Amino acid sequence: MTSDVGKMNETKSRSELSDIFYHLVRDPLGLVGLIIVGLIVFSAIFAPWIVPYDPIAMNIPDRMQGPSLSHLVGTDQLGRDTFSRVIMGGRVALQVAIPTIGGAITIGLILGMIAGYGPKWLDNVIVLLFDTVRSFPTVMFALAVVALVGPSLNTVILVIMVTSIPTYGRVVRTLTQSLRNSEFIEAERSLGASVFRIMRVHILPNVIGPIAVLAAMDIPTVIGLEAGLSFLGMGVKPPTPSWGSLLNDGYNLIRNTPWLIIAGGIPLILTTLGFTFLGEALRDVVDPKLRGRGK
Amino acid sequence: MIGYIFKRLGLAAIITVLAVTLLFLIIHMIPGDPITTMLGPRATPELRAALEERMGLDKPLPIQIVLFFTNMLRGDLGTDVFSGRAVTAIVFGQLPYTLALIFVSITWAAILGITLGCYSAVNRNSLGDRLAGILSVSVIAVPAFVVSLYSLLLFAVKLKWFPAIGAGEPGNLPDQFWHLVLPSLAIGLSWVGYIARLVRASMLEVLGEGHIRTARAFGLPKSWITYKYALRLAILPTVTVIGVGMGFLLSAAVFTEIVFSRPGLGKLVIDSITTRNYPVVMGSVLFSTLIFVASTTLADIINALLDPRTRKGS
Amino acid sequence: MSTPTLDIRNLSVSYSTPRGELKALRNVSIQIPNKKIVGIVGESGCGKSTLISAISKLMATNATVKSGEIEFHNSDILKISNQQMSELLGTDISLVFQDPMQTHNPVLSIGRQMVDIQFRDRLSKVEKYNRASEMLSLVGIPDAEERLKQYPFEFSGGMRQRIAIAMALMAKPSLLIADEPTTALDATLEVQIIKRLRELQDEIGCSILFISHHLGVIAELCDEVVVMYAGEVVESGSVRDVFHSPAHPYTKALLECDPGHIKEKTRNLPTIPGEIPDLVNLSTGCVFAERCSKKHDACEERPQFSSLNTEHFVACHLTGQENAL
């Protein structure tokens, strides 16, 4: 009998995915978000093949050109094609965002479920940990770490991941706490289901929705953070193109050409909009369902 | 009420202690040696030993932590590696600029955001509401430093309406204010959207509650109901949000200060990192953490003051 | 006969919903005579809330008045402006709502709220506070002056409802509309509040429109009663006539199912089988026909109102056949 309830939850998740997708496409903002995100992911994956020029190939004679037919957005101070750097920058952005958020979600999930489901003292400890990590202004913290270790992509990933963990952890914890007392879990408990089973089969599927919404809203923040750190010179090392480093170049050359700043900023804005719209639409889809569940 | 304040302050103190300790531990656990980072690879053993001793890094870790705390309570955050000045003094010198920037940013963002949110809630689903909604969502996540760069490009460099650099002449308040316009607009923009949405949602929720229906049933004027009754309740979450948002505000300020070459905590940190001025970096980070903890605590306390239910512990 | 305080004639209200037009009220006519207490009885979905929202002009945005007049103080409420209506609310017409826990603003003291509703009066604040504390004592709240400083959460449900009644009667309205004011309270409280309400009505001399599904309370408190079903009035008359000689099958069934009326001990409480009809897709016949044990061919047509005596009206073919007008 326990397996039936479990199967119910599992089949629920599968058909819900297509359900969610269906609703997303209906929402105009969601559709726009989906398209933008799709474009970005696509260009990120296929970047090496789409770029018209090698992003790090210097070509001094052609430096500092404005947009033209051969260079869609012009060239930078070392003659590199800006458009190619923009596309490759997208790849870097996702290369940072995905492990960061993936890691934060994983650890946040585990800690959050433990906090919500386990003994009170453990909950208190974990919450205190969360609050402590959260008390650091993220950028300041990242800067402090970079000050010691030196700039690198991996540092950025690690730091942002650690500071993001409480965001997911808290949500998972609250959800777990509310689900913990719901009737079907009590039923499972009385039937002797193990804690892991309950967490895996019952709490997890109910938590995924809000987490996905959170992640979608968080991605632009993470990408923005990476871009910001790279802009400050604390992120990726040159010549790797990041939107942030493009903006840095643009900033240094602001009185010579506006194009680098424009080129660096637009993908950031687009990415932000795309993921935010997607997140909003997702939230509209997930939320009313969530309210109907755990009752 | 007093009890709540004490409890909240106590929690803040604990978190501060933990945060500082955590910072310390992380610094020491991270591969990479601050001394090497500061002195470079050509450091001689004597130089290293001297610097180590000067910075107290030769003592065992727990003692370092305790020493740091005792010093911190005395207001001593160490000394600048190069000039020998007290870190605390250096930080305090730059702090007002950052605080001014943050304060102005959040003030105009709150005023505009609350107005917009209120309007949206009262005129729900009107054209204005929908437009405001889309705009709000759009501006929320755009990174502040991108907005800073664009506004710098457009308004300062191209159009030359506003100054591009600095905080203005000291002592000349209007000039300083003029220098604040673009940076505070840049930081405040995403907050307008965020606050507007929050207030709208909050207002809608409050407007649907039973006591608003009662107020209407007694013929109370609409403006009275909207502002004195509904808005007063709807604002509560905004207060907390601003308190918690101080962390983001500080981060945004860092970027904005760099973009507009303004003095402040952010610029201080960046410069110190470049010159490997380790104590100043740590001091600044610590200070911003303290500010953050203070603001969240303050927000919670204000929230409790405004809502009598938390006050009397219902 | 003097003009009734409230005269509702042929009121029809519909809501526009995604499924279609939901006809919540159809040709409802109710009169509330001067200084009398009229009760409205009916299960959920009978249209009581819609009726109240129409009278107070606090309707939902998707509601439309399809026809009818609501006459109060020589003007038609449906035709006056919102501004004029808000002048009536809280002065000549007062409301008491069902859930006392949601009625008051949680962050303002009771005193402040009771002073606020006196905003039209040119009295000093002290005088307004005194008036408030007088009202509180009148509804049976001790230490009124002290309690004015307290917040809603410091009062129990029963007390909050008394406060609501105090607020409603403070301006000495001509009409008090009470929407199931005692439903959320336990039986002993209910008795006390009803008693107090009766006394106050006597003193102040207002009319009351009292909505409830608790037949015992209606019998105790009201002079007249109107029975509503699925948006229509099916029977109306004096409490005595309607409850002692119910003419409509629905009224009869309600009385049979009322736990207070059941004389023998039984394990199975009687219920009325079936559910209220879909208000979007209504049949043309009698609205109660589906659930009626006495349904017959004539019920395919809407029954007209027939009178059993000067006050007792019923909409049922059976009565029509028995007492042809």
Side-chain angles (χ1 to χ4, degrees), chain B residues 210-211 213-214 216-220 224 229 233 308 312 314, chain C residues 86 89 97 102-105 107 116 119-120 153-154 167:
Chain B
H211 59 89
R213 183 178 54 165
T214 308
R216 291 198 187 117
F218 278 96
L220 289 180
W224 191 330
Y229 280 25
L233 274 169
K312 298 192 183 181
S314 63
Chain C
S86 72
L89 288 171
F97 294 106
Q102 305 283 350
T103 300
H104 304 285
N105 189 325
V107 298
D116 277 354
F119 71 100
R120 300 176 186 95
F153 71 85
E154 298 180 78
M167 284 168 73

PDB file of all heavy atoms in Angstrom, chain B residues 210-211 213-214 216-220 224 229 233 308 312 314, chain C residues 86 89 97 102-105 107 116 119-120 153-154 167:
ATOM      1  N   GLY B 210     -11.594  41.002   5.746  1.00  0.00           N
ATOM      2  CA  GLY B 210     -12.892  41.343   6.316  1.00  0.00           C
ATOM      3  C   GLY B 210     -12.980  42.754   6.879  1.00  0.00           C
ATOM      4  O   GLY B 210     -13.983  43.437   6.722  1.00  0.00           O
ATOM      5  N   HIS B 211     -11.921  43.201   7.540  1.00  0.00           N
ATOM      6  CA  HIS B 211     -12.041  44.504   8.196  1.00  0.00           C
ATOM      7  C   HIS B 211     -12.123  45.647   7.203  1.00  0.00           C
ATOM      8  O   HIS B 211     -12.647  46.713   7.533  1.00  0.00           O
ATOM      9  CB  HIS B 211     -10.889  44.709   9.183  1.00  0.00           C
ATOM     10  CG  HIS B 211      -9.543  44.652   8.559  1.00  0.00           C
ATOM     11  ND1 HIS B 211      -8.930  45.759   8.047  1.00  0.00           N
ATOM     12  CD2 HIS B 211      -8.685  43.622   8.349  1.00  0.00           C
ATOM     13  CE1 HIS B 211      -7.755  45.417   7.575  1.00  0.00           C
ATOM     14  NE2 HIS B 211      -7.582  44.135   7.748  1.00  0.00           N
ATOM     15  N   ARG B 213     -13.861  45.374   4.463  1.00  0.00           N
ATOM     16  CA  ARG B 213     -15.278  45.343   4.127  1.00  0.00           C
ATOM     17  C   ARG B 213     -16.079  46.065   5.211  1.00  0.00           C
ATOM     18  O   ARG B 213     -17.004  46.812   4.929  1.00  0.00           O
ATOM     19  CB  ARG B 213     -15.750  43.894   4.000  1.00  0.00           C
ATOM     20  CG  ARG B 213     -17.202  43.776   3.592  1.00  0.00           C
ATOM     21  CD  ARG B 213     -17.631  42.349   3.437  1.00  0.00           C
ATOM     22  NE  ARG B 213     -17.365  41.566   4.622  1.00  0.00           N
ATOM     23  CZ  ARG B 213     -17.897  40.378   4.870  1.00  0.00           C
ATOM     24  NH1 ARG B 213     -18.721  39.850   3.998  1.00  0.00           N
ATOM     25  NH2 ARG B 213     -17.594  39.706   5.960  1.00  0.00           N
ATOM     26  N   THR B 214     -15.695  45.852   6.453  1.00  0.00           N
ATOM     27  CA  THR B 214     -16.364  46.553   7.550  1.00  0.00           C
ATOM     28  C   THR B 214     -16.225  48.056   7.375  1.00  0.00           C
ATOM     29  O   THR B 214     -17.193  48.798   7.496  1.00  0.00           O
ATOM     30  CB  THR B 214     -15.758  46.150   8.910  1.00  0.00           C
ATOM     31  OG1 THR B 214     -15.735  44.747   9.022  1.00  0.00           O
ATOM     32  CG2 THR B 214     -16.523  46.772  10.047  1.00  0.00           C
ATOM     33  N   ARG B 216     -15.740  49.758   4.716  1.00  0.00           N
ATOM     34  CA  ARG B 216     -16.614  50.210   3.624  1.00  0.00           C
ATOM     35  C   ARG B 216     -18.064  50.235   4.081  1.00  0.00           C
ATOM     36  O   ARG B 216     -18.824  51.132   3.734  1.00  0.00           O
ATOM     37  CB  ARG B 216     -16.486  49.295   2.425  1.00  0.00           C
ATOM     38  CG  ARG B 216     -15.168  49.387   1.735  1.00  0.00           C
ATOM     39  CD  ARG B 216     -15.237  48.803   0.338  1.00  0.00           C
ATOM     40  NE  ARG B 216     -13.905  48.768  -0.238  1.00  0.00           N
ATOM     41  CZ  ARG B 216     -13.271  47.651  -0.576  1.00  0.00           C
ATOM     42  NH1 ARG B 216     -13.861  46.489  -0.404  1.00  0.00           N
ATOM     43  NH2 ARG B 216     -12.063  47.709  -1.089  1.00  0.00           N
ATOM     44  N   ALA B 217     -18.434  49.223   4.873  1.00  0.00           N
ATOM     45  CA  ALA B 217     -19.829  49.136   5.324  1.00  0.00           C
ATOM     46  C   ALA B 217     -20.197  50.277   6.255  1.00  0.00           C
ATOM     47  O   ALA B 217     -21.365  50.529   6.498  1.00  0.00           O
ATOM     48  CB  ALA B 217     -20.070  47.801   6.020  1.00  0.00           C
ATOM     49  N   PHE B 218     -19.198  50.963   6.783  1.00  0.00           N
ATOM     50  CA  PHE B 218     -19.493  52.115   7.624  1.00  0.00           C
ATOM     51  C   PHE B 218     -19.309  53.410   6.867  1.00  0.00           C
ATOM     52  O   PHE B 218     -19.277  54.484   7.461  1.00  0.00           O
ATOM     53  CB  PHE B 218     -18.618  52.101   8.886  1.00  0.00           C
ATOM     54  CG  PHE B 218     -19.163  51.209   9.956  1.00  0.00           C
ATOM     55  CD1 PHE B 218     -18.702  49.901  10.082  1.00  0.00           C
ATOM     56  CD2 PHE B 218     -20.156  51.639  10.809  1.00  0.00           C
ATOM     57  CE1 PHE B 218     -19.217  49.058  11.054  1.00  0.00           C
ATOM     58  CE2 PHE B 218     -20.676  50.800  11.784  1.00  0.00           C
ATOM     59  CZ  PHE B 218     -20.215  49.517  11.910  1.00  0.00           C
ATOM     60  N   GLY B 219     -19.173  53.291   5.552  1.00  0.00           N
ATOM     61  CA  GLY B 219     -19.130  54.486   4.733  1.00  0.00           C
ATOM     62  C   GLY B 219     -17.855  55.292   4.852  1.00  0.00           C
ATOM     63  O   GLY B 219     -17.824  56.461   4.489  1.00  0.00           O
ATOM     64  N   LEU B 220     -16.795  54.699   5.343  1.00  0.00           N
ATOM     65  CA  LEU B 220     -15.554  55.453   5.460  1.00  0.00           C
ATOM     66  C   LEU B 220     -15.076  55.851   4.069  1.00  0.00           C
ATOM     67  O   LEU B 220     -15.191  55.083   3.126  1.00  0.00           O
ATOM     68  CB  LEU B 220     -14.469  54.621   6.168  1.00  0.00           C
ATOM     69  CG  LEU B 220     -14.694  54.396   7.656  1.00  0.00           C
ATOM     70  CD1 LEU B 220     -13.567  53.562   8.222  1.00  0.00           C
ATOM     71  CD2 LEU B 220     -14.764  55.718   8.399  1.00  0.00           C
ATOM     72  N   TRP B 224      -9.398  57.266   2.762  1.00  0.00           N
ATOM     73  CA  TRP B 224      -9.100  56.905   4.150  1.00  0.00           C
ATOM     74  C   TRP B 224      -8.804  55.405   4.229  1.00  0.00           C
ATOM     75  O   TRP B 224      -7.804  54.963   4.790  1.00  0.00           O
ATOM     76  CB  TRP B 224     -10.313  57.254   5.011  1.00  0.00           C
ATOM     77  CG  TRP B 224     -10.099  57.199   6.479  1.00  0.00           C
ATOM     78  CD1 TRP B 224      -9.242  56.413   7.175  1.00  0.00           C
ATOM     79  CD2 TRP B 224     -10.796  57.965   7.453  1.00  0.00           C
ATOM     80  NE1 TRP B 224      -9.350  56.638   8.505  1.00  0.00           N
ATOM     81  CE2 TRP B 224     -10.306  57.585   8.717  1.00  0.00           C
ATOM     82  CE3 TRP B 224     -11.790  58.945   7.376  1.00  0.00           C
ATOM     83  CZ2 TRP B 224     -10.782  58.146   9.889  1.00  0.00           C
ATOM     84  CZ3 TRP B 224     -12.258  59.489   8.548  1.00  0.00           C
ATOM     85  CH2 TRP B 224     -11.761  59.092   9.787  1.00  0.00           C
ATOM     86  N   TYR B 229      -5.915  52.741   6.367  1.00  0.00           N
ATOM     87  CA  TYR B 229      -6.159  51.380   6.820  1.00  0.00           C
ATOM     88  C   TYR B 229      -5.331  50.368   6.048  1.00  0.00           C
ATOM     89  O   TYR B 229      -4.504  49.667   6.603  1.00  0.00           O
ATOM     90  CB  TYR B 229      -7.651  51.035   6.702  1.00  0.00           C
ATOM     91  CG  TYR B 229      -8.494  51.571   7.824  1.00  0.00           C
ATOM     92  CD1 TYR B 229      -8.106  52.676   8.548  1.00  0.00           C
ATOM     93  CD2 TYR B 229      -9.694  50.959   8.163  1.00  0.00           C
ATOM     94  CE1 TYR B 229      -8.878  53.171   9.571  1.00  0.00           C
ATOM     95  CE2 TYR B 229     -10.476  51.435   9.195  1.00  0.00           C
ATOM     96  CZ  TYR B 229     -10.077  52.548   9.900  1.00  0.00           C
ATOM     97  OH  TYR B 229     -10.855  53.025  10.916  1.00  0.00           O
ATOM     98  N   LEU B 233      -1.160  48.619   6.768  1.00  0.00           N
ATOM     99  CA  LEU B 233      -0.916  47.198   6.969  1.00  0.00           C
ATOM    100  C   LEU B 233      -0.032  46.634   5.869  1.00  0.00           C
ATOM    101  O   LEU B 233       0.846  45.818   6.099  1.00  0.00           O
ATOM    102  CB  LEU B 233      -2.249  46.435   6.942  1.00  0.00           C
ATOM    103  CG  LEU B 233      -2.976  46.357   8.269  1.00  0.00           C
ATOM    104  CD1 LEU B 233      -4.372  45.823   8.059  1.00  0.00           C
ATOM    105  CD2 LEU B 233      -2.214  45.452   9.218  1.00  0.00           C
ATOM    106  N   PRO B 308       1.000  45.467  16.500  1.00  0.00           N
ATOM    107  CA  PRO B 308       0.821  45.203  17.930  1.00  0.00           C
ATOM    108  C   PRO B 308       0.709  43.724  18.250  1.00  0.00           C
ATOM    109  O   PRO B 308       0.901  43.317  19.391  1.00  0.00           O
ATOM    110  CB  PRO B 308      -0.473  45.939  18.282  1.00  0.00           C
ATOM    111  CG  PRO B 308      -1.175  46.109  16.988  1.00  0.00           C
ATOM    112  CD  PRO B 308      -0.121  46.212  15.954  1.00  0.00           C
ATOM    113  N   LYS B 312       2.618  42.329  21.572  1.00  0.00           N
ATOM    114  CA  LYS B 312       2.089  41.733  22.798  1.00  0.00           C
ATOM    115  C   LYS B 312       2.151  40.224  22.765  1.00  0.00           C
ATOM    116  O   LYS B 312       1.674  39.576  23.666  1.00  0.00           O
ATOM    117  CB  LYS B 312       0.646  42.199  23.011  1.00  0.00           C
ATOM    118  CG  LYS B 312       0.577  43.710  23.195  1.00  0.00           C
ATOM    119  CD  LYS B 312      -0.774  44.153  23.683  1.00  0.00           C
ATOM    120  CE  LYS B 312      -0.832  45.670  23.784  1.00  0.00           C
ATOM    121  NZ  LYS B 312      -2.129  46.151  24.273  1.00  0.00           N
ATOM    122  N   SER B 314       0.783  37.743  20.694  1.00  0.00           N
ATOM    123  CA  SER B 314      -0.509  37.026  20.692  1.00  0.00           C
ATOM    124  C   SER B 314      -0.326  35.559  20.382  1.00  0.00           C
ATOM    125  O   SER B 314       0.499  35.199  19.565  1.00  0.00           O
ATOM    126  CB  SER B 314      -1.448  37.668  19.687  1.00  0.00           C
ATOM    127  OG  SER B 314      -0.899  37.541  18.399  1.00  0.00           O
TER     128      SER B 314
ATOM    129  N   SER C  86     -22.551  55.904   0.407  1.00  0.00           N
ATOM    130  CA  SER C  86     -21.614  55.864   1.539  1.00  0.00           C
ATOM    131  C   SER C  86     -22.052  56.815   2.634  1.00  0.00           C
ATOM    132  O   SER C  86     -21.654  56.664   3.782  1.00  0.00           O
ATOM    133  CB  SER C  86     -20.187  56.158   1.080  1.00  0.00           C
ATOM    134  OG  SER C  86     -20.053  57.502   0.745  1.00  0.00           O
ATOM    135  N   LEU C  89     -24.428  54.496   4.597  1.00  0.00           N
ATOM    136  CA  LEU C  89     -23.802  53.396   5.316  1.00  0.00           C
ATOM    137  C   LEU C  89     -23.167  53.883   6.604  1.00  0.00           C
ATOM    138  O   LEU C  89     -22.407  54.833   6.622  1.00  0.00           O
ATOM    139  CB  LEU C  89     -22.732  52.735   4.443  1.00  0.00           C
ATOM    140  CG  LEU C  89     -23.258  51.904   3.288  1.00  0.00           C
ATOM    141  CD1 LEU C  89     -22.112  51.485   2.388  1.00  0.00           C
ATOM    142  CD2 LEU C  89     -23.978  50.673   3.811  1.00  0.00           C
ATOM    143  N   PHE C  97     -21.372  41.529  10.247  1.00  0.00           N
ATOM    144  CA  PHE C  97     -20.997  40.404   9.394  1.00  0.00           C
ATOM    145  C   PHE C  97     -20.829  39.109  10.165  1.00  0.00           C
ATOM    146  O   PHE C  97     -20.838  39.073  11.385  1.00  0.00           O
ATOM    147  CB  PHE C  97     -19.705  40.736   8.639  1.00  0.00           C
ATOM    148  CG  PHE C  97     -19.865  41.848   7.672  1.00  0.00           C
ATOM    149  CD1 PHE C  97     -19.350  43.094   7.943  1.00  0.00           C
ATOM    150  CD2 PHE C  97     -20.557  41.660   6.477  1.00  0.00           C
ATOM    151  CE1 PHE C  97     -19.499  44.137   7.055  1.00  0.00           C
ATOM    152  CE2 PHE C  97     -20.708  42.691   5.588  1.00  0.00           C
ATOM    153  CZ  PHE C  97     -20.190  43.945   5.873  1.00  0.00           C
ATOM    154  N   GLN C 102     -12.712  38.426  11.668  1.00  0.00           N
ATOM    155  CA  GLN C 102     -12.154  39.157  10.542  1.00  0.00           C
ATOM    156  C   GLN C 102     -12.701  40.567  10.448  1.00  0.00           C
ATOM    157  O   GLN C 102     -12.355  41.305   9.551  1.00  0.00           O
ATOM    158  CB  GLN C 102     -12.501  38.428   9.223  1.00  0.00           C
ATOM    159  CG  GLN C 102     -12.082  37.002   9.159  1.00  0.00           C
ATOM    160  CD  GLN C 102     -10.601  36.872   8.905  1.00  0.00           C
ATOM    161  OE1 GLN C 102      -9.928  37.839   8.607  1.00  0.00           O
ATOM    162  NE2 GLN C 102     -10.096  35.659   9.041  1.00  0.00           N
ATOM    163  N   THR C 103     -13.627  40.892  11.369  1.00  0.00           N
ATOM    164  CA  THR C 103     -14.352  42.149  11.200  1.00  0.00           C
ATOM    165  C   THR C 103     -13.522  43.388  11.517  1.00  0.00           C
ATOM    166  O   THR C 103     -13.771  44.451  10.975  1.00  0.00           O
ATOM    167  CB  THR C 103     -15.604  42.145  12.094  1.00  0.00           C
ATOM    168  OG1 THR C 103     -16.419  41.060  11.710  1.00  0.00           O
ATOM    169  CG2 THR C 103     -16.384  43.426  11.967  1.00  0.00           C
ATOM    170  N   HIS C 104     -12.576  43.246  12.421  1.00  0.00           N
ATOM    171  CA  HIS C 104     -11.894  44.453  12.878  1.00  0.00           C
ATOM    172  C   HIS C 104     -10.475  44.541  12.362  1.00  0.00           C
ATOM    173  O   HIS C 104      -9.830  43.528  12.107  1.00  0.00           O
ATOM    174  CB  HIS C 104     -11.868  44.493  14.410  1.00  0.00           C
ATOM    175  CG  HIS C 104     -13.230  44.389  15.007  1.00  0.00           C
ATOM    176  ND1 HIS C 104     -14.125  45.424  14.994  1.00  0.00           N
ATOM    177  CD2 HIS C 104     -13.867  43.357  15.621  1.00  0.00           C
ATOM    178  CE1 HIS C 104     -15.248  45.040  15.590  1.00  0.00           C
ATOM    179  NE2 HIS C 104     -15.115  43.791  15.973  1.00  0.00           N
ATOM    180  N   ASN C 105      -9.991  45.777  12.248  1.00  0.00           N
ATOM    181  CA  ASN C 105      -8.622  46.018  11.828  1.00  0.00           C
ATOM    182  C   ASN C 105      -7.664  45.561  12.923  1.00  0.00           C
ATOM    183  O   ASN C 105      -7.722  46.054  14.038  1.00  0.00           O
ATOM    184  CB  ASN C 105      -8.457  47.522  11.556  1.00  0.00           C
ATOM    185  CG  ASN C 105      -7.131  47.838  10.909  1.00  0.00           C
ATOM    186  OD1 ASN C 105      -6.122  47.202  11.200  1.00  0.00           O
ATOM    187  ND2 ASN C 105      -7.133  48.819  10.032  1.00  0.00           N
ATOM    188  N   VAL C 107      -4.564  45.995  13.605  1.00  0.00           N
ATOM    189  CA  VAL C 107      -3.496  46.829  14.157  1.00  0.00           C
ATOM    190  C   VAL C 107      -3.986  48.148  14.756  1.00  0.00           C
ATOM    191  O   VAL C 107      -3.175  48.984  15.129  1.00  0.00           O
ATOM    192  CB  VAL C 107      -2.397  47.131  13.108  1.00  0.00           C
ATOM    193  CG1 VAL C 107      -1.742  45.857  12.655  1.00  0.00           C
ATOM    194  CG2 VAL C 107      -2.964  47.900  11.952  1.00  0.00           C
ATOM    195  N   ASP C 116     -13.223  56.221  14.695  1.00  0.00           N
ATOM    196  CA  ASP C 116     -13.125  56.455  13.256  1.00  0.00           C
ATOM    197  C   ASP C 116     -14.482  56.440  12.574  1.00  0.00           C
ATOM    198  O   ASP C 116     -14.753  57.246  11.687  1.00  0.00           O
ATOM    199  CB  ASP C 116     -12.225  55.392  12.610  1.00  0.00           C
ATOM    200  CG  ASP C 116     -10.761  55.750  12.750  1.00  0.00           C
ATOM    201  OD1 ASP C 116     -10.465  56.853  13.238  1.00  0.00           O
ATOM    202  OD2 ASP C 116      -9.917  54.913  12.393  1.00  0.00           O
ATOM    203  N   PHE C 119     -16.641  59.580  12.129  1.00  0.00           N
ATOM    204  CA  PHE C 119     -15.910  60.665  11.479  1.00  0.00           C
ATOM    205  C   PHE C 119     -16.805  61.781  10.967  1.00  0.00           C
ATOM    206  O   PHE C 119     -16.359  62.891  10.755  1.00  0.00           O
ATOM    207  CB  PHE C 119     -15.054  60.119  10.342  1.00  0.00           C
ATOM    208  CG  PHE C 119     -15.842  59.660   9.132  1.00  0.00           C
ATOM    209  CD1 PHE C 119     -15.972  60.449   8.010  1.00  0.00           C
ATOM    210  CD2 PHE C 119     -16.453  58.409   9.134  1.00  0.00           C
ATOM    211  CE1 PHE C 119     -16.690  60.015   6.904  1.00  0.00           C
ATOM    212  CE2 PHE C 119     -17.169  57.970   8.039  1.00  0.00           C
ATOM    213  CZ  PHE C 119     -17.285  58.771   6.916  1.00  0.00           C
ATOM    214  N   ARG C 120     -18.085  61.477  10.751  1.00  0.00           N
ATOM    215  CA  ARG C 120     -18.955  62.535  10.241  1.00  0.00           C
ATOM    216  C   ARG C 120     -19.413  63.473  11.346  1.00  0.00           C
ATOM    217  O   ARG C 120     -19.870  64.572  11.089  1.00  0.00           O
ATOM    218  CB  ARG C 120     -20.195  61.919   9.593  1.00  0.00           C
ATOM    219  CG  ARG C 120     -19.914  61.005   8.430  1.00  0.00           C
ATOM    220  CD  ARG C 120     -21.219  60.391   7.968  1.00  0.00           C
ATOM    221  NE  ARG C 120     -21.012  59.393   6.937  1.00  0.00           N
ATOM    222  CZ  ARG C 120     -20.913  58.096   7.177  1.00  0.00           C
ATOM    223  NH1 ARG C 120     -20.970  57.651   8.423  1.00  0.00           N
ATOM    224  NH2 ARG C 120     -20.745  57.241   6.189  1.00  0.00           N
ATOM    225  N   PHE C 153      -7.328  41.379  18.875  1.00  0.00           N
ATOM    226  CA  PHE C 153      -6.915  40.027  19.229  1.00  0.00           C
ATOM    227  C   PHE C 153      -7.006  39.769  20.731  1.00  0.00           C
ATOM    228  O   PHE C 153      -6.888  38.635  21.189  1.00  0.00           O
ATOM    229  CB  PHE C 153      -5.499  39.732  18.713  1.00  0.00           C
ATOM    230  CG  PHE C 153      -4.398  40.470  19.441  1.00  0.00           C
ATOM    231  CD1 PHE C 153      -3.855  39.951  20.610  1.00  0.00           C
ATOM    232  CD2 PHE C 153      -3.898  41.659  18.951  1.00  0.00           C
ATOM    233  CE1 PHE C 153      -2.843  40.615  21.267  1.00  0.00           C
ATOM    234  CE2 PHE C 153      -2.893  42.329  19.601  1.00  0.00           C
ATOM    235  CZ  PHE C 153      -2.358  41.815  20.763  1.00  0.00           C
ATOM    236  N   GLU C 154      -7.236  40.831  21.486  1.00  0.00           N
ATOM    237  CA  GLU C 154      -7.360  40.637  22.925  1.00  0.00           C
ATOM    238  C   GLU C 154      -8.792  40.334  23.353  1.00  0.00           C
ATOM    239  O   GLU C 154      -9.081  40.251  24.548  1.00  0.00           O
ATOM    240  CB  GLU C 154      -6.867  41.892  23.653  1.00  0.00           C
ATOM    241  CG  GLU C 154      -5.399  42.171  23.381  1.00  0.00           C
ATOM    242  CD  GLU C 154      -4.877  43.392  24.085  1.00  0.00           C
ATOM    243  OE1 GLU C 154      -4.613  43.301  25.288  1.00  0.00           O
ATOM    244  OE2 GLU C 154      -4.748  44.435  23.422  1.00  0.00           O
ATOM    245  N   MET C 167     -20.870  48.821  17.331  1.00  0.00           N
ATOM    246  CA  MET C 167     -20.476  49.753  16.285  1.00  0.00           C
ATOM    247  C   MET C 167     -21.650  50.000  15.343  1.00  0.00           C
ATOM    248  O   MET C 167     -21.915  51.125  14.934  1.00  0.00           O
ATOM    249  CB  MET C 167     -19.287  49.191  15.491  1.00  0.00           C
ATOM    250  CG  MET C 167     -17.979  49.314  16.245  1.00  0.00           C
ATOM    251  SD  MET C 167     -16.639  48.365  15.519  1.00  0.00           S
ATOM    252  CE  MET C 167     -16.268  49.309  14.067  1.00  0.00           C
TER     253      MET C 167
END
